[in-house]
Amino acid sequence: RLTGQQQEINNLIQRKNAVDEENARLKNEFSNLNQKFKDKSQELKDTEECAQNKEEQNRLVIKNLEEENKGLNTCCADLLNDLEKLRKQEAQWKTEKSGNDARIK
């Protein structure tokens, strides 16, 4: 009976050692996975921060372009008004020239 109990104790010790080894392996794996998680979390944080900065830069570029476009639209409107005035002046000068030419003849 004693030999059987000793054998059972030896078996339990072997199982305990195997469980301890598996436990140590799992702890090591958990530690590695936890470090990977921290690294990926930091990478995600950095990526989100970079994306946020790019988004802010894009907003500023869009705002500047919209302001520039507004200025160009105003400039175009002014140029169109000037062109219309010059066309009217040209028509008036042609009329005057035609009258002058007729008087000269």
Side-chain angles (χ1 to χ4, degrees):
R1 201 174 98 143
L2 182 61
T3 304
Q5 287 178 344
Q6 187 63 42
Q7 183 63 38
E8 188 177 335
I9 288 171
N10 288 340
N11 290 341
L12 288 172
I13 289 173
Q14 286 178 346
R15 281 179 48 199
K16 179 195 176 296
N17 288 339
V19 167
D20 286 347
E21 287 176 15
E22 179 68 6
N23 193 26
R25 187 187 67 76
L26 290 173
K27 281 183 180 180
N28 189 38
E29 186 177 339
F30 173 77
S31 178
N32 291 338
L33 289 172
N34 198 32
Q35 186 59 48
K36 283 182 183 178
F37 173 75
K38 287 177 182 177
D39 292 345
K40 290 294 181 183
S41 293
Q42 185 61 45
E43 186 179 332
L44 176 63
K45 182 180 174 186
D46 293 345
T47 301
E48 287 174 343
E49 188 176 310
C50 182
Q52 196 173 17
N53 288 340
K54 292 280 186 190
E55 204 173 297
E56 182 61 29
Q57 287 176 351
N58 288 342
R59 274 195 290 269
L60 289 173
V61 167
I62 289 170
K63 182 181 175 186
N64 290 338
L65 288 174
E66 285 173 346
E67 288 176 9
E68 185 177 346
N69 189 40
K70 190 177 178 181
L72 290 173
N73 285 338
T74 301
C75 185
C76 284
D78 292 343
L79 289 172
L80 286 172
N81 286 335
D82 291 347
L83 179 63
E84 185 61 30
K85 288 176 186 175
L86 290 171
R87 284 184 177 158
K88 287 179 182 177
Q89 190 176 21
E90 178 189 22
Q92 182 183 354
W93 287 346
K94 282 183 180 179
T95 303
E96 290 176 8
K97 183 180 182 299
S98 177
N100 289 339
D101 287 347
R103 278 191 290 154
I104 290 171
K105 283 183 183 180

